[in-house]
Amino acid sequence: MSRPTPERRPLSGEGPVILRVPSDPRWLPLALERFDEVLVDHAHCEKKAAANALSLLQVYPDLPGLPAQMARLAREESAHLARVLDLMAARGLTLGRDAGDPYAQGLQKFVRTSADGRRVDRLLVAAVIEARSCERLSLLAEGLEDPMLRRFYGELAQSEDGHQSLFFRLAVTAAGGDEAPVRTRLDELLVLEAEVLERIGLRAAIH
């Protein structure tokens, strides 16, 4: 049975990405129960976010504003990674090998193959991933009991909100400044994102 599509709602702040479905209400209890697993997954997510920023810088150095923004983003995500690794070390956890993220992998399958389409879609997929991360980090900030962890995840959720807005703006720039087709494509990807989320099911992971 397919999950009903609720009314679209802003994720937070003034960002342009509006998720089509909220996370399953069972996600937060699972994440809190298996927080160590979520923490390790979170570290891998921050690692890949930094790597993706550098990849975009490498592939699209001519897109106005992108190189400097991605350099700053890679530094910020790396700083987040370092903080998560510190939390892991305090809990006696090790990073281990990355088992992969079926959520991000599922979204990447929808990236168009034409040069222009791929550039816009890579940026929009990054925006969607940041939006889902923002939602779930916000949930953790609300659900965790430890005040330090609540502050930490609240700060990270705010950062992710800014990141999804940044990627959307860059996608508009990549489309020549025409926002309408970018929003249309974003709507298409958000429908697909909801399908991916349902297909992969409940996981003790950020996505």
Side-chain angles (χ1 to χ4, degrees):
M1 180 181 297
S2 62
R3 181 183 300 170
T5 302
E7 181 180 354
R8 295 171 64 192
R9 58 185 178 83
L11 181 64
S12 60
E14 301 296 329
V17 177
I18 300 174
L19 299 174
R20 285 299 184 103
V21 296
S23 287
D24 189 310
R26 296 173 298 170
W27 179 82
L28 181 58
L30 176 68
L32 296 176
E33 178 185 351
R34 296 163 57 181
F35 183 64
D36 283 356
E37 293 177 47
V38 173
L39 200 57
V40 173
D41 178 74
H42 184 188
H44 283 299
C45 288
E46 297 290 359
K47 174 195 66 181
K48 286 180 282 196
N52 184 59
L54 293 176
S55 173
L56 290 168
L57 190 161
Q58 174 70 22
V59 177
Y60 305 120
D62 298 328
L63 186 65
L66 184 144
Q69 294 281 9
M70 290 301 100
R72 283 192 287 268
L73 182 59
R75 182 176 59 194
E76 183 178 343
E77 302 286 22
S78 295
H80 292 170
L81 170 60
R83 293 177 71 183
V84 176
L85 290 172
D86 285 344
L87 289 175
M88 288 173 52
R91 299 169 76 95
L93 302 173
T94 55
L95 185 60
R97 286 190 170 274
D98 187 351
D101 184 348
Y103 170 82
Q105 292 166 358
L107 290 178
Q108 293 296 338
K109 293 178 181 178
F110 302 121
V111 172
R112 291 171 290 182
T113 56
S114 66
D116 290 343
R118 179 172 177 78
R119 183 169 65 169
V120 170
D121 282 3
R122 282 197 65 182
L123 293 164
L124 288 180
V125 163
V128 172
I129 291 173
E130 296 283 0
R132 184 59 68 185
S133 298
C134 176
E135 183 219 27
R136 292 199 167 174
L137 297 181
S138 295
L139 289 172
L140 287 172
E142 295 168 3
L144 287 162
E145 294 184 0
D146 185 293
M148 183 275 291
L149 289 175
R150 290 171 66 93
R151 287 193 301 273
F152 175 61
Y153 277 100
E155 292 170 6
L156 291 193
Q158 288 186 335
S159 293
E160 304 297 76
D161 191 28
H163 298 167
Q164 56 99 1
S165 297
L166 168 62
F167 279 118
F168 178 82
R169 293 195 303 271
L170 288 172
V172 172
T173 300
D178 190 353
E179 186 172 319
V182 177
R183 286 195 175 273
T184 297
R185 179 56 178 162
L186 175 60
D187 283 341
E188 295 170 353
L189 290 171
L190 289 171
V191 171
L192 295 169
E193 190 262 359
E195 295 174 359
V196 169
L197 203 63
E198 183 175 13
R199 184 167 63 250
I200 64 177
L202 206 60
R203 304 172 64 239
I206 297 298
H207 303 128

